[in-house]
Amino acid sequence: MEDDLQRKVIKQRLKQFYGSDTNNSLVDQNDPLNIDSPSFDPQLYLDKSLRTKDLSDLISEEKALTDQIRSLDSDMQTLVYDNYSKFISATDTIRMMKSNFSYVQAEMNSLLQNIASIVSVSGAINRNFADKRKKLSTLTTTQLTLNKLNYLVELPVSLRTYMNKCDWDRIVLDLNKAKYILKSYHNTPSFKNIREDCSEIVSEICSRLWRQFDESVSRFYNYFPERYG
């Protein structure tokens, strides 16, 4: 606040000494006796003052001009000092910004190097995992194939077990499931025995079911001898 007031005072003094733009526009710019004119002639002004003014007036005017010059000189020094201080402050600020920018630039370069390193490591990890994923996929496919083969190998025993338990639903379910697998490997000689065993069991199941059916029909007729005798 105090600095702003001081600047206003200095500005006002300079305006009084040099004249404002408005005053300059009202005076004759070519008047050699006008102290504010660019065409001011000190010798003519002095000659006129000596002719028109007495000694006391000249002394008073000289004193007033001297005071104004000293005041303006002091104000100019103050302005120069203030501007110099601002220049030094601006220089320090620029130097600090440059130093900070150098630090930020160094950090950015380090960050870019870290990112490049991360990308490189990530690429290597992806390549390693790609090989492992391929191996895992192969192992999974192999495991599924082995499960199918194991299912086929155990199928005759399972069918016979269910047949002994008269679990016809489970037999139908397993046969429907196995027929697609057997069809996939129908050209494989090693599965010939499995197909033959399954066919034999199916024939045996059919025979047993037919016997049960015949027995059921016979019992039915025996219940109604007078009608079906």
Side-chain angles (χ1 to χ4, degrees), residues 32-33 39-49 51:
L33 298 178
S39 302
F40 175 68
D41 189 336
Q43 187 62 44
L44 290 177
Y45 183 82
L46 178 61
D47 292 342
K48 181 181 178 182
S49 296
R51 289 195 307 269

Side-chain angles (χ1 to χ4, degrees), residues 147-180:
N147 289 339
K148 292 179 180 179
L149 295 177
N150 185 63
Y151 177 79
L152 289 178
V153 170
E154 295 180 352
L155 181 60
V157 177
S158 298
L159 292 177
R160 191 166 296 279
T161 300
Y162 296 140
M163 183 182 66
N164 294 332
K165 294 179 180 180
C166 296
D167 191 351
W168 314 120
D169 292 337
R170 186 58 186 268
I171 291 174
V172 173
L173 181 64
D174 283 0
L175 286 174
N176 285 331
K177 181 178 179 181
K179 68 180 180 180
Y180 297 105

